[in-house]
mmCIF file of all heavy atoms in Angstrom:
data_model
loop_
_atom_site.group_PDB
_atom_site.id
_atom_site.type_symbol
_atom_site.label_atom_id
_atom_site.label_comp_id
_atom_site.label_asym_id
_atom_site.label_seq_id
_atom_site.Cartn_x
_atom_site.Cartn_y
_atom_site.Cartn_z
ATOM 1 N N ASP Q 14 0.796 -1.220 0.000
ATOM 2 C CA ASP Q 14 0.000 0.000 0.000
ATOM 3 C C ASP Q 14 0.838 1.285 0.000
ATOM 4 O O ASP Q 14 0.309 2.358 -0.259
ATOM 5 C CB ASP Q 14 -0.976 0.008 1.182
ATOM 6 C CG ASP Q 14 -0.275 -0.153 2.520
ATOM 7 O OD1 ASP Q 14 0.892 -0.571 2.544
ATOM 8 O OD2 ASP Q 14 -0.912 0.150 3.549
ATOM 9 N N ASP Q 15 2.156 1.190 0.263
ATOM 10 C CA ASP Q 15 3.009 2.384 0.255
ATOM 11 C C ASP Q 15 4.437 2.014 -0.137
ATOM 12 O O ASP Q 15 5.318 1.905 0.720
ATOM 13 C CB ASP Q 15 2.985 3.054 1.626
ATOM 14 C CG ASP Q 15 3.643 4.420 1.621
ATOM 15 O OD1 ASP Q 15 4.012 4.915 0.537
ATOM 16 O OD2 ASP Q 15 3.785 4.994 2.714
ATOM 17 N N PRO Q 16 4.703 1.822 -1.436
ATOM 18 C CA PRO Q 16 6.053 1.438 -1.877
ATOM 19 C C PRO Q 16 7.134 2.458 -1.542
ATOM 20 O O PRO Q 16 8.315 2.125 -1.525
ATOM 21 C CB PRO Q 16 5.905 1.304 -3.396
ATOM 22 C CG PRO Q 16 4.462 1.100 -3.632
ATOM 23 C CD PRO Q 16 3.763 1.844 -2.541
ATOM 24 N N SER Q 17 6.756 3.687 -1.222
ATOM 25 C CA SER Q 17 7.764 4.688 -0.857
ATOM 26 C C SER Q 17 8.430 4.363 0.484
ATOM 27 O O SER Q 17 9.460 4.931 0.821
ATOM 28 C CB SER Q 17 7.142 6.077 -0.807
ATOM 29 O OG SER Q 17 6.201 6.156 0.234
ATOM 30 N N GLN Q 18 7.855 3.443 1.243
ATOM 31 C CA GLN Q 18 8.429 3.023 2.525
ATOM 32 C C GLN Q 18 9.343 1.812 2.371
ATOM 33 O O GLN Q 18 9.522 1.041 3.309
ATOM 34 C CB GLN Q 18 7.300 2.702 3.519
ATOM 35 C CG GLN Q 18 6.438 3.883 3.866
ATOM 36 C CD GLN Q 18 7.236 4.969 4.571
ATOM 37 O OE1 GLN Q 18 8.037 4.694 5.447
ATOM 38 N NE2 GLN Q 18 7.034 6.201 4.152
ATOM 39 N N ALA Q 19 9.935 1.646 1.229
ATOM 40 C CA ALA Q 19 10.786 0.493 0.943
ATOM 41 C C ALA Q 19 12.071 0.545 1.759
ATOM 42 O O ALA Q 19 12.492 1.597 2.243
ATOM 43 C CB ALA Q 19 11.116 0.462 -0.549
ATOM 44 N N GLN Q 20 12.677 -0.611 1.886
ATOM 45 C CA GLN Q 20 13.983 -0.719 2.533
ATOM 46 C C GLN Q 20 14.746 -1.878 1.933
ATOM 47 O O GLN Q 20 14.156 -2.806 1.399
ATOM 48 C CB GLN Q 20 13.831 -0.885 4.036
ATOM 49 C CG GLN Q 20 13.092 -2.143 4.457
ATOM 50 C CD GLN Q 20 12.890 -2.199 5.966
ATOM 51 O OE1 GLN Q 20 13.323 -1.330 6.695
ATOM 52 N NE2 GLN Q 20 12.236 -3.239 6.426
ATOM 53 N N ILE Q 21 16.056 -1.803 2.019
ATOM 54 C CA ILE Q 21 16.885 -2.910 1.555
ATOM 55 C C ILE Q 21 16.695 -4.060 2.535
ATOM 56 O O ILE Q 21 16.692 -3.860 3.751
ATOM 57 C CB ILE Q 21 18.365 -2.488 1.462
ATOM 58 C CG1 ILE Q 21 18.524 -1.386 0.410
ATOM 59 C CG2 ILE Q 21 19.247 -3.678 1.129
ATOM 60 C CD1 ILE Q 21 19.918 -0.810 0.314
ATOM 61 N N SER Q 22 16.536 -5.267 2.032
ATOM 62 C CA SER Q 22 16.229 -6.420 2.884
ATOM 63 C C SER Q 22 17.240 -6.616 4.002
ATOM 64 O O SER Q 22 16.881 -6.957 5.106
ATOM 65 C CB SER Q 22 16.140 -7.687 2.039
ATOM 66 O OG SER Q 22 15.024 -7.618 1.188
ATOM 67 N N GLY Q 23 18.502 -6.405 3.742
ATOM 68 C CA GLY Q 23 19.524 -6.578 4.773
ATOM 69 C C GLY Q 23 19.362 -5.611 5.925
ATOM 70 O O GLY Q 23 19.675 -5.927 7.070
ATOM 71 N N SER Q 24 18.844 -4.421 5.665
ATOM 72 C CA SER Q 24 18.623 -3.432 6.719
ATOM 73 C C SER Q 24 17.535 -3.895 7.678
ATOM 74 O O SER Q 24 17.544 -3.548 8.853
ATOM 75 C CB SER Q 24 18.236 -2.090 6.114
ATOM 76 O OG SER Q 24 19.242 -1.622 5.261
ATOM 77 N N ALA Q 25 16.602 -4.675 7.183
ATOM 78 C CA ALA Q 25 15.528 -5.178 8.038
ATOM 79 C C ALA Q 25 16.069 -6.128 9.102
ATOM 80 O O ALA Q 25 15.560 -6.170 10.222
ATOM 81 C CB ALA Q 25 14.473 -5.870 7.188
ATOM 82 N N TRP Q 26 17.089 -6.885 8.771
ATOM 83 C CA TRP Q 26 17.672 -7.805 9.749
ATOM 84 C C TRP Q 26 18.304 -7.056 10.906
ATOM 85 O O TRP Q 26 18.287 -7.514 12.041
ATOM 86 C CB TRP Q 26 18.685 -8.735 9.082
ATOM 87 C CG TRP Q 26 17.998 -9.819 8.340
ATOM 88 C CD1 TRP Q 26 17.840 -9.927 6.992
ATOM 89 C CD2 TRP Q 26 17.321 -10.945 8.913
ATOM 90 N NE1 TRP Q 26 17.099 -11.043 6.691
ATOM 91 C CE2 TRP Q 26 16.776 -11.698 7.860
ATOM 92 C CE3 TRP Q 26 17.119 -11.382 10.213
ATOM 93 C CZ2 TRP Q 26 16.047 -12.856 8.062
ATOM 94 C CZ3 TRP Q 26 16.392 -12.543 10.416
ATOM 95 C CH2 TRP Q 26 15.869 -13.259 9.343
ATOM 96 N N ILE Q 27 18.857 -5.885 10.634
ATOM 97 C CA ILE Q 27 19.451 -5.097 11.712
ATOM 98 C C ILE Q 27 18.372 -4.668 12.700
ATOM 99 O O ILE Q 27 18.567 -4.741 13.916
ATOM 100 C CB ILE Q 27 20.215 -3.886 11.130
ATOM 101 C CG1 ILE Q 27 21.426 -4.387 10.353
ATOM 102 C CG2 ILE Q 27 20.617 -2.899 12.219
ATOM 103 C CD1 ILE Q 27 22.149 -3.348 9.570
ATOM 104 N N LYS Q 28 17.214 -4.236 12.193
ATOM 105 C CA LYS Q 28 16.100 -3.882 13.074
ATOM 106 C C LYS Q 28 15.667 -5.086 13.909
ATOM 107 O O LYS Q 28 15.375 -4.948 15.091
ATOM 108 C CB LYS Q 28 14.919 -3.371 12.254
ATOM 109 C CG LYS Q 28 15.112 -1.981 11.718
ATOM 110 C CD LYS Q 28 14.050 -1.571 10.731
ATOM 111 C CE LYS Q 28 12.661 -1.601 11.246
ATOM 112 N NZ LYS Q 28 11.682 -1.060 10.264
ATOM 113 N N THR Q 29 15.634 -6.261 13.291
ATOM 114 C CA THR Q 29 15.230 -7.466 14.009
ATOM 115 C C THR Q 29 16.219 -7.799 15.115
ATOM 116 O O THR Q 29 15.824 -8.116 16.243
ATOM 117 C CB THR Q 29 15.101 -8.649 13.031
ATOM 118 O OG1 THR Q 29 14.193 -8.290 11.994
ATOM 119 C CG2 THR Q 29 14.608 -9.892 13.739
ATOM 120 N N ILE Q 30 17.498 -7.716 14.822
ATOM 121 C CA ILE Q 30 18.524 -8.028 15.822
ATOM 122 C C ILE Q 30 18.453 -7.042 16.980
ATOM 123 O O ILE Q 30 18.515 -7.431 18.155
ATOM 124 C CB ILE Q 30 19.918 -8.048 15.173
ATOM 125 C CG1 ILE Q 30 20.037 -9.262 14.249
ATOM 126 C CG2 ILE Q 30 21.023 -8.066 16.225
ATOM 127 C CD1 ILE Q 30 21.256 -9.258 13.358
ATOM 128 N N ILE Q 31 18.320 -5.757 16.677
ATOM 129 C CA ILE Q 31 18.200 -4.752 17.741
ATOM 130 C C ILE Q 31 16.958 -5.026 18.585
ATOM 131 O O ILE Q 31 16.995 -4.937 19.818
ATOM 132 C CB ILE Q 31 18.168 -3.330 17.148
ATOM 133 C CG1 ILE Q 31 19.535 -2.979 16.565
ATOM 134 C CG2 ILE Q 31 17.755 -2.301 18.195
ATOM 135 C CD1 ILE Q 31 19.555 -1.693 15.763
ATOM 136 N N GLY Q 32 15.858 -5.412 17.941
ATOM 137 C CA GLY Q 32 14.643 -5.742 18.673
ATOM 138 C C GLY Q 32 14.823 -6.912 19.613
ATOM 139 O O GLY Q 32 14.385 -6.879 20.766
ATOM 140 N N VAL Q 33 15.504 -7.955 19.151
ATOM 141 C CA VAL Q 33 15.748 -9.125 20.003
ATOM 142 C C VAL Q 33 16.657 -8.757 21.168
ATOM 143 O O VAL Q 33 16.422 -9.158 22.316
ATOM 144 C CB VAL Q 33 16.347 -10.289 19.173
ATOM 145 C CG1 VAL Q 33 16.859 -11.398 20.065
ATOM 146 C CG2 VAL Q 33 15.304 -10.824 18.202
ATOM 147 N N VAL Q 34 17.705 -7.969 20.879
ATOM 148 C CA VAL Q 34 18.633 -7.555 21.935
ATOM 149 C C VAL Q 34 17.906 -6.729 23.004
ATOM 150 O O VAL Q 34 18.193 -6.857 24.185
ATOM 151 C CB VAL Q 34 19.828 -6.777 21.330
ATOM 152 C CG1 VAL Q 34 20.634 -6.061 22.387
ATOM 153 C CG2 VAL Q 34 20.714 -7.724 20.532
ATOM 154 N N LEU Q 35 16.952 -5.905 22.606
ATOM 155 C CA LEU Q 35 16.178 -5.119 23.575
ATOM 156 C C LEU Q 35 15.104 -5.943 24.276
ATOM 157 O O LEU Q 35 14.777 -5.690 25.439
ATOM 158 C CB LEU Q 35 15.515 -3.929 22.880
ATOM 159 C CG LEU Q 35 16.413 -2.782 22.466
ATOM 160 C CD1 LEU Q 35 15.622 -1.761 21.659
ATOM 161 C CD2 LEU Q 35 17.031 -2.118 23.680
ATOM 162 N N LEU Q 36 14.538 -6.910 23.570
ATOM 163 C CA LEU Q 36 13.430 -7.683 24.128
ATOM 164 C C LEU Q 36 13.868 -8.567 25.293
ATOM 165 O O LEU Q 36 13.137 -8.700 26.280
ATOM 166 C CB LEU Q 36 12.776 -8.537 23.039
ATOM 167 C CG LEU Q 36 11.509 -9.278 23.443
ATOM 168 C CD1 LEU Q 36 10.420 -8.299 23.845
ATOM 169 C CD2 LEU Q 36 11.029 -10.161 22.310
ATOM 170 N N ILE Q 37 15.042 -9.145 25.220
ATOM 171 C CA ILE Q 37 15.491 -10.070 26.273
ATOM 172 C C ILE Q 37 15.624 -9.363 27.625
ATOM 173 O O ILE Q 37 14.984 -9.779 28.602
ATOM 174 C CB ILE Q 37 16.781 -10.799 25.848
ATOM 175 C CG1 ILE Q 37 16.463 -11.721 24.668
ATOM 176 C CG2 ILE Q 37 17.381 -11.575 27.022
ATOM 177 C CD1 ILE Q 37 17.678 -12.306 23.987
ATOM 178 N N PRO Q 38 16.431 -8.289 27.758
ATOM 179 C CA PRO Q 38 16.523 -7.652 29.084
ATOM 180 C C PRO Q 38 15.223 -6.984 29.527
ATOM 181 O O PRO Q 38 14.926 -6.956 30.724
ATOM 182 C CB PRO Q 38 17.648 -6.625 28.937
ATOM 183 C CG PRO Q 38 17.854 -6.442 27.491
ATOM 184 C CD PRO Q 38 17.339 -7.678 26.808
ATOM 185 N N SER Q 39 14.440 -6.454 28.580
ATOM 186 C CA SER Q 39 13.187 -5.825 28.993
ATOM 187 C C SER Q 39 12.202 -6.868 29.506
ATOM 188 O O SER Q 39 11.451 -6.604 30.440
ATOM 189 C CB SER Q 39 12.580 -4.998 27.866
ATOM 190 O OG SER Q 39 12.275 -5.792 26.760
ATOM 191 N N SER Q 40 12.203 -8.058 28.932
ATOM 192 C CA SER Q 40 11.341 -9.134 29.439
ATOM 193 C C SER Q 40 11.766 -9.555 30.838
ATOM 194 O O SER Q 40 10.918 -9.812 31.701
ATOM 195 C CB SER Q 40 11.396 -10.339 28.504
ATOM 196 O OG SER Q 40 10.925 -9.999 27.239
ATOM 197 N N ILE Q 41 13.053 -9.601 31.066
ATOM 198 C CA ILE Q 41 13.552 -9.928 32.415
ATOM 199 C C ILE Q 41 13.139 -8.826 33.393
ATOM 200 O O ILE Q 41 12.721 -9.110 34.521
ATOM 201 C CB ILE Q 41 15.083 -10.124 32.391
ATOM 202 C CG1 ILE Q 41 15.425 -11.391 31.599
ATOM 203 C CG2 ILE Q 41 15.651 -10.204 33.808
ATOM 204 C CD1 ILE Q 41 16.896 -11.558 31.293
ATOM 205 N N GLY Q 42 13.209 -7.555 32.971
ATOM 206 C CA GLY Q 42 12.773 -6.453 33.821
ATOM 207 C C GLY Q 42 11.299 -6.529 34.170
ATOM 208 O O GLY Q 42 10.907 -6.263 35.303
ATOM 209 N N VAL Q 43 10.470 -6.908 33.191
ATOM 210 C CA VAL Q 43 9.039 -7.076 33.443
ATOM 211 C C VAL Q 43 8.818 -8.188 34.464
ATOM 212 O O VAL Q 43 8.037 -8.039 35.415
ATOM 213 C CB VAL Q 43 8.271 -7.367 32.133
ATOM 214 C CG1 VAL Q 43 6.857 -7.838 32.416
ATOM 215 C CG2 VAL Q 43 8.249 -6.132 31.244
ATOM 216 N N LEU Q 44 9.510 -9.294 34.282
ATOM 217 C CA LEU Q 44 9.361 -10.436 35.201
ATOM 218 C C LEU Q 44 9.798 -10.074 36.620
ATOM 219 O O LEU Q 44 9.084 -10.343 37.587
ATOM 220 C CB LEU Q 44 10.149 -11.636 34.675
ATOM 221 C CG LEU Q 44 10.120 -12.886 35.545
ATOM 222 C CD1 LEU Q 44 8.708 -13.437 35.618
ATOM 223 C CD2 LEU Q 44 11.076 -13.929 35.010
ATOM 224 N N VAL Q 45 10.960 -9.452 36.758
ATOM 225 C CA VAL Q 45 11.464 -9.087 38.083
ATOM 226 C C VAL Q 45 10.548 -8.040 38.726
ATOM 227 O O VAL Q 45 10.230 -8.132 39.919
ATOM 228 C CB VAL Q 45 12.926 -8.581 37.992
ATOM 229 C CG1 VAL Q 45 13.386 -7.977 39.314
ATOM 230 C CG2 VAL Q 45 13.844 -9.711 37.584
ATOM 231 N N GLY Q 46 10.097 -7.057 37.951
ATOM 232 C CA GLY Q 46 9.173 -6.058 38.484
ATOM 233 C C GLY Q 46 7.879 -6.679 38.961
ATOM 234 O O GLY Q 46 7.371 -6.350 40.041
ATOM 235 N N TRP Q 47 7.342 -7.609 38.183
ATOM 236 C CA TRP Q 47 6.107 -8.297 38.577
ATOM 237 C C TRP Q 47 6.327 -9.098 39.849
ATOM 238 O O TRP Q 47 5.492 -9.088 40.754
ATOM 239 C CB TRP Q 47 5.643 -9.198 37.431
ATOM 240 C CG TRP Q 47 4.395 -9.958 37.739
ATOM 241 C CD1 TRP Q 47 3.118 -9.506 37.716
ATOM 242 C CD2 TRP Q 47 4.323 -11.331 38.142
ATOM 243 N NE1 TRP Q 47 2.256 -10.507 38.063
ATOM 244 C CE2 TRP Q 47 2.968 -11.637 38.330
ATOM 245 C CE3 TRP Q 47 5.276 -12.314 38.349
ATOM 246 C CZ2 TRP Q 47 2.546 -12.895 38.731
ATOM 247 C CZ3 TRP Q 47 4.857 -13.576 38.751
ATOM 248 C CH2 TRP Q 47 3.495 -13.849 38.937
ATOM 249 N N LEU Q 48 7.478 -9.803 39.934
ATOM 250 C CA LEU Q 48 7.766 -10.585 41.146
ATOM 251 C C LEU Q 48 7.905 -9.692 42.374
ATOM 252 O O LEU Q 48 7.430 -10.039 43.454
ATOM 253 C CB LEU Q 48 9.037 -11.420 40.949
ATOM 254 C CG LEU Q 48 8.893 -12.649 40.058
ATOM 255 C CD1 LEU Q 48 10.259 -13.285 39.812
ATOM 256 C CD2 LEU Q 48 7.940 -13.660 40.671
ATOM 257 N N LEU Q 49 8.559 -8.560 42.210
ATOM 258 C CA LEU Q 49 8.693 -7.644 43.347
ATOM 259 C C LEU Q 49 7.334 -7.142 43.812
ATOM 260 O O LEU Q 49 7.090 -7.011 45.020
ATOM 261 C CB LEU Q 49 9.590 -6.462 42.971
ATOM 262 C CG LEU Q 49 11.075 -6.763 42.893
ATOM 263 C CD1 LEU Q 49 11.831 -5.571 42.326
ATOM 264 C CD2 LEU Q 49 11.627 -7.153 44.257
ATOM 265 N N LEU Q 50 6.441 -6.852 42.871
ATOM 266 C CA LEU Q 50 5.100 -6.421 43.263
ATOM 267 C C LEU Q 50 4.336 -7.528 43.977
ATOM 268 O O LEU Q 50 3.553 -7.265 44.900
ATOM 269 C CB LEU Q 50 4.317 -5.938 42.042
ATOM 270 C CG LEU Q 50 4.783 -4.606 41.461
ATOM 271 C CD1 LEU Q 50 4.056 -4.325 40.154
ATOM 272 C CD2 LEU Q 50 4.561 -3.482 42.451
ATOM 273 N N ARG Q 51 4.545 -8.759 43.561
ATOM 274 C CA ARG Q 51 3.863 -9.892 44.208
ATOM 275 C C ARG Q 51 4.427 -10.163 45.603
ATOM 276 O O ARG Q 51 3.713 -10.651 46.473
ATOM 277 C CB ARG Q 51 4.011 -11.155 43.356
ATOM 278 C CG ARG Q 51 3.386 -11.087 41.991
ATOM 279 C CD ARG Q 51 1.907 -11.249 41.990
ATOM 280 N NE ARG Q 51 1.566 -12.587 42.440
ATOM 281 C CZ ARG Q 51 0.384 -12.917 42.941
ATOM 282 N NH1 ARG Q 51 -0.556 -12.041 43.017
ATOM 283 N NH2 ARG Q 51 0.149 -14.140 43.339
ATOM 284 N N LEU Q 52 5.715 -9.866 45.801
ATOM 285 C CA LEU Q 52 6.362 -10.178 47.074
ATOM 286 C C LEU Q 52 6.264 -9.068 48.122
ATOM 287 O O LEU Q 52 6.636 -9.274 49.266
ATOM 288 C CB LEU Q 52 7.848 -10.501 46.844
ATOM 289 C CG LEU Q 52 8.148 -11.774 46.067
ATOM 290 C CD1 LEU Q 52 9.639 -11.888 45.794
ATOM 291 C CD2 LEU Q 52 7.658 -12.994 46.831
ATOM 292 N N ARG Q 53 5.799 -7.912 47.697
ATOM 293 C CA ARG Q 53 5.751 -6.811 48.668
ATOM 294 C C ARG Q 53 4.852 -7.181 49.837
ATOM 295 O O ARG Q 53 3.857 -7.886 49.694
ATOM 296 C CB ARG Q 53 5.328 -5.521 48.003
ATOM 297 C CG ARG Q 53 3.888 -5.505 47.617
ATOM 298 C CD ARG Q 53 3.505 -4.218 46.977
ATOM 299 N NE ARG Q 53 2.131 -4.370 46.483
ATOM 300 C CZ ARG Q 53 1.618 -3.645 45.571
ATOM 301 N NH1 ARG Q 53 2.327 -2.695 45.016
ATOM 302 N NH2 ARG Q 53 0.376 -3.839 45.177
ATOM 303 N N HIS Q 54 5.225 -6.704 50.961
ATOM 304 C CA HIS Q 54 4.500 -7.037 52.192
ATOM 305 C C HIS Q 54 3.321 -6.115 52.367
ATOM 306 O O HIS Q 54 3.451 -4.902 52.321
ATOM 307 C CB HIS Q 54 5.436 -6.907 53.396
ATOM 308 C CG HIS Q 54 4.774 -7.168 54.693
ATOM 309 N ND1 HIS Q 54 4.208 -8.372 55.006
ATOM 310 C CD2 HIS Q 54 4.579 -6.390 55.766
ATOM 311 C CE1 HIS Q 54 3.685 -8.313 56.216
ATOM 312 N NE2 HIS Q 54 3.913 -7.113 56.710
ATOM 313 N N ARG Q 55 2.173 -6.683 52.523
ATOM 314 C CA ARG Q 55 0.981 -5.899 52.826
ATOM 315 C C ARG Q 55 0.825 -5.922 54.360
ATOM 316 O O ARG Q 55 0.712 -6.991 54.944
ATOM 317 C CB ARG Q 55 -0.249 -6.469 52.148
ATOM 318 C CG ARG Q 55 -0.142 -6.416 50.632
ATOM 319 C CD ARG Q 55 -1.443 -6.907 50.029
ATOM 320 N NE ARG Q 55 -1.300 -7.076 48.608
ATOM 321 C CZ ARG Q 55 -1.639 -6.160 47.719
ATOM 322 N NH1 ARG Q 55 -2.137 -5.016 48.112
ATOM 323 N NH2 ARG Q 55 -1.487 -6.388 46.439
ATOM 324 N N ALA Q 56 0.855 -4.766 54.894
ATOM 325 C CA ALA Q 56 0.790 -4.673 56.360
ATOM 326 C C ALA Q 56 -0.519 -5.273 56.860
ATOM 327 O O ALA Q 56 -1.592 -4.944 56.387
ATOM 328 C CB ALA Q 56 0.898 -3.217 56.791
#
């Protein structure tokens, strides 16, 4: 629907790699944050 948004195929792999590199630590942060919220002491 918009050929003006084209990119070289090899450039797309760089976006994918950066996404994976960011997704791993952010997923761990979500998990640890959720666990901390579950473990907090309710008086």
Side-chain angles (χ1 to χ4, degrees):
D14 57 344
D15 190 7
S17 66
Q18 297 297 317
Q20 62 184 358
I21 296 175
S22 293
S24 300
W26 282 105
I27 293 172
K28 285 171 59 174
T29 304
I30 290 169
I31 291 171
V33 169
V34 167
L35 287 174
L36 187 62
I37 293 169
S39 61
S40 298
I41 292 170
V43 168
L44 178 65
V45 170
W47 179 79
L48 285 173
L49 285 172
L50 289 173
R51 297 283 295 158
L52 293 174
R53 72 180 173 201
H54 178 62
R55 296 184 189 265

